[in-house]
Amino acid sequence: MRVPTLASRAGSRLAPALLALALAAGARPAAAQERPRDPVQEKLEVRAQLMPRHATVLSSEIAGKIDTLPFREGESFEAGQTVAALDCTSYAARMQLADARATAAERKLEAVRVLDQRKAIGRIDLDLATTDLDAARAEQQLAAKDVSRCTLTAPFAGRVAELRVKRHQFVAAGEPLIDILNERELEVELLVPSHWVSWLAAGTPFTMAIEELKRDYPARVTRIGPRIDPVSQTVKLFGRIEGAHAELMAGMSGMAGFAPPEPAPAARAPAPPAP
């Protein structure tokens, strides 16, 4: 009979312990195994700002002296209301002169036509009289256009953001007079990394945290810019805060938070066929 050695007896005692350790290691997840995603930890944030959808600078189309500024900064107006007017005395006089010349050209043409019917003048005289009337009417239209430019009307409803001139001030043609905006329709503008376009689309929800108000607002993407900046690798994004909020103002800023979608689960390899 073979007598068991000391090593064989020790191995027989260690075998159950090693088997238990192996089973326990198999029950624990591997260190490299992906952990469940935490939506709070993986929330992506970028800087964003509220901008008016309708904003413009109204400029004078003619030279003249400011006669009326009916609205002060911060006051509201409706579409079509007069927001600035220039002294139109000289332009109105030019329009009267153009009207008189057009009337004279019409009467001259009538007289030339009578003479032409009587064969008292040549055809060239009739053509020249017709041309003079056309020129007079063109001057009349130009004078009327200048008179209409004396008054600046609001293209949309909104508020006065800034008055760049004062009453009785003389301004040149093309000089900015008044900044206006529509604070009722605001949109969110932001720049996001270009690789976000793989999962961003119109309608994607996000949260807009307004720093000035210390409040969060639900919002959605409305459109994505048509091109990517090759230097910064960013793309412009536009969104809209859901609902009506009278406390929001153009120029407010904060952080826009996005939750990227969960990645699709990896396909499992097919199980080997049973022997």
Side-chain angles (χ1 to χ4, degrees), residues 28-45:
R28 292 196 303 268
Q33 185 175 350
E34 184 180 358
R35 295 182 179 180
R37 295 168 61 93
D38 188 348
V40 176
Q41 293 180 353
E42 297 205 8
K43 186 176 182 180
L44 305 176
E45 292 185 335

Side-chain angles (χ1 to χ4, degrees), residues 1-271:
M1 175 182 293
R2 184 178 177 182
V3 180
T5 62
L6 180 61
S8 62
R9 289 197 300 272
S12 62
R13 290 196 300 270
L14 289 175
L18 293 175
L19 179 60
L21 289 174
L23 292 175
R28 292 196 303 268
Q33 185 175 350
E34 184 180 358
R35 295 182 179 180
R37 295 168 61 93
D38 188 348
V40 176
Q41 293 180 353
E42 297 205 8
K43 186 176 182 180
L44 305 176
E45 292 185 335
V46 291
R47 194 77 185 172
Q49 187 175 6
L50 293 182
M51 300 294 292
R53 291 191 62 191
H54 304 288
T56 189
V57 179
L58 298 179
S59 301
S60 175
E61 296 185 64
I62 56 175
K65 184 178 66 174
I66 300 295
D67 183 55
T68 303
L69 290 172
F71 297 99
R72 295 175 295 179
E73 292 183 0
E75 292 184 337
S76 301
F77 53 82
E78 297 298 328
Q81 281 190 286
T82 299
V83 293
L86 280 70
D87 183 6
C88 210
T89 304
S90 60
Y91 294 102
R94 292 176 186 176
M95 183 174 176
Q96 291 178 356
L97 179 59
D99 291 341
R101 288 177 176 175
T103 302
E106 289 176 358
R107 293 185 177 180
K108 179 181 179 180
L109 180 58
E110 292 175 357
V112 170
R113 283 174 177 171
V114 172
L115 294 176
D116 180 62
Q117 291 175 358
R118 297 176 180 179
K119 307 299 182 180
I121 58 174
R123 184 67 183 180
I124 186 63
D125 295 320
L126 178 61
D127 293 340
L128 290 175
T130 303
T131 303
D132 290 341
L133 177 59
D134 293 339
R137 286 176 175 173
E139 291 180 356
Q140 188 180 31
Q141 292 177 359
L142 287 174
K145 184 64 177 178
D146 285 340
V147 170
S148 67
R149 290 171 176 167
C150 292
T151 302
L152 279 74
T153 57
F156 50 80
R159 297 173 66 185
V160 176
E162 180 183 358
L163 288 175
R164 301 195 181 192
V165 294
K166 302 293 184 181
R167 191 180 176 188
H168 306 301
Q169 178 180 341
F170 185 88
V171 295
E175 184 173 345
L177 304 182
I178 180 172
D179 294 21
I180 61 174
L181 59 86
N182 184 351
E183 85 288 356
R184 303 171 190 173
E185 296 185 35
L186 302 175
E187 64 181 0
V188 183
E189 289 189 12
L190 60 157
L191 292 174
V192 300
S194 57
H195 64 269
W196 286 17
V197 298
S198 61
W199 52 269
L200 280 177
T204 300
F206 65 95
T207 301
M208 182 64 190
I210 302 296
E211 292 181 348
E212 289 82 359
L213 302 176
K214 308 299 181 184
R215 291 179 57 184
D216 295 348
Y217 296 85
R220 289 189 178 273
V221 175
T222 56
R223 63 189 190 278
I224 301 174
R227 64 180 179 181
I228 294 173
D229 181 52
V231 178
S232 62
Q233 289 295 300
T234 57
V235 63
K236 201 167 188 178
L237 205 68
F238 302 88
R240 178 173 293 183
I241 293 178
E242 298 181 341
H245 305 279
E247 69 276 11
L248 295 178
M249 299 176 62
M252 287 184 173
S253 61
M255 302 300 294
F258 293 83
E262 293 285 342
R268 296 183 178 180

